[in-house]
Amino acid sequence: MGKIDKTVDPEFEAQCEVLKDIHRRYGHVVAAAKNFSQVLSQMAEAEKKFSESFYQLSLKEEQIKAQCTTTSETMRGVGEQATSLDACLKYFISSMETVYNQTITDTLHTIYNTESARIEYDVDRNDISAAANPPQGQQPKTLPAGTAEKCEERKLKYEKLKNDAKIKMRLLEENRISVVATQLEKLQSALAAYYSGNAKLLEASVRELSILQSPQPSFIPTM
């Protein structure tokens, strides 16, 4: 395989490599978001337990009951906000997983099929060329009947798949940016509300994310 002449389309191949890199980066986002969600969930649980410990202490320590109660209520509120942010993260993760595991993967599958079809075409094309142009002193080889026709079929298959992949990449870019931008805007609002201590705004962000429709597994028609 390393000795045959490869059919080259530099622009198409560069676009494919860009998408593969983008796919890897979305994978990093999904993994990091899941890790953040896990830590946040653990922190929320710890904050709620901290709140409960002060409440239980207030039942026995009359002299510092007010301070214990205030601390308990503060920590309960902090824990509830962490839970709300975690809910926002889970909505975000669900959408990013769809983009990463399904939407981009669908286009990559077409790209990989294109690459396989290109190899099949190149093998046949080079077999025909080698048979017609043997080394000096050797006679041209006779290939099985239908070899040229099979090569032409594989060429058409490769060109069709490449065209399908180009269309999918274009539609994917247009729709991916729109979907992810919307999700990021809602997540940014939730993060700002959480770190500013704005519980009402955080609750609103949870509601907004919950009613957003998850992106479709594929933005493009089946080809």
Side-chain angles (χ1 to χ4, degrees):
M1 291 299 295
K3 296 180 180 179
I4 69 173
D5 293 329
K6 175 184 174 182
T7 299
V8 178
D9 185 335
E11 182 180 358
F12 173 68
E13 292 173 9
Q15 290 173 344
C16 292
E17 289 305 312
V18 167
L19 182 59
K20 291 175 184 178
D21 184 49
I22 287 174
H23 183 242
R24 285 190 291 269
R25 291 168 190 261
Y26 270 99
H28 295 159
V29 170
V30 170
K34 285 183 175 181
N35 184 59
F36 184 26
S37 175
Q38 182 179 15
V39 171
L40 195 60
S41 179
Q42 293 171 345
M43 186 170 68
E45 186 63 26
E47 288 166 344
K48 290 174 183 177
K49 288 180 179 179
F50 197 27
S51 169
E52 178 63 20
S53 71
F54 279 108
Y55 169 72
Q56 293 296 333
L57 182 61
S58 72
L59 299 178
K60 297 296 182 179
E61 287 284 23
E62 289 295 330
Q63 291 181 318
I64 55 173
K65 183 179 179 66
Q67 293 94 324
C68 287
T69 298
T70 298
T71 303
S72 175
E73 291 175 349
T74 298
M75 290 308 305
R76 185 177 68 251
V78 170
E80 289 173 351
Q81 289 186 48
T83 298
S84 295
L85 179 58
D86 190 36
C88 289
L89 271 175
K90 284 181 168 58
Y91 287 123
F92 176 76
I93 290 169
S94 176
S95 295
M96 291 305 98
E97 284 185 318
T98 299
V99 172
Y100 173 67
N101 291 322
Q102 299 180 54
T103 310
I104 299 179
T105 300
D106 174 78
T107 300
L108 288 177
H109 182 67
T110 302
I111 289 172
Y112 295 138
N113 285 341
T114 303
E115 292 172 349
S116 296
R118 192 267 306 160
I119 291 172
E120 292 177 348
Y121 165 57
D122 282 348
V123 170
D124 283 357
R125 181 173 56 80
N126 279 269
D127 283 347
I128 292 173
S129 177
N133 302 281
Q136 188 175 3
Q138 297 184 17
Q139 293 295 319
K141 295 181 179 179
T142 301
L143 295 174
T147 298
E149 289 78 3
K150 184 179 72 170
C151 180
E152 183 63 21
E153 289 176 0
R154 287 184 168 175
K155 176 184 178 182
L156 293 175
K157 176 183 177 182
Y158 161 65
E159 291 178 344
K160 181 183 183 304
L161 282 169
K162 183 169 70 171
N163 186 61
D164 289 348
K166 287 180 178 180
I167 293 172
K168 285 188 174 187
M169 283 192 285
R170 177 175 58 79
L171 295 175
L172 172 63
E173 181 175 7
E174 292 172 357
N175 290 279
R176 183 185 73 247
I177 297 303
S178 174
V179 167
V180 176
T182 300
Q183 293 289 334
L184 286 173
E185 286 174 3
K186 301 304 180 185
L187 179 61
Q188 288 163 8
S189 295
L191 289 169
Y194 175 73
Y195 287 109
S196 66
N198 191 330
K200 291 184 178 180
L201 181 57
L202 184 54
E203 290 173 4
S205 296
V206 175
R207 288 194 299 271
E208 289 176 1
L209 275 167
S210 67
I211 62 177
L212 277 179
Q213 291 186 346
S214 296
Q216 295 299 312
S218 178
F219 301 128
I220 53 184
T222 302
M223 293 181 177

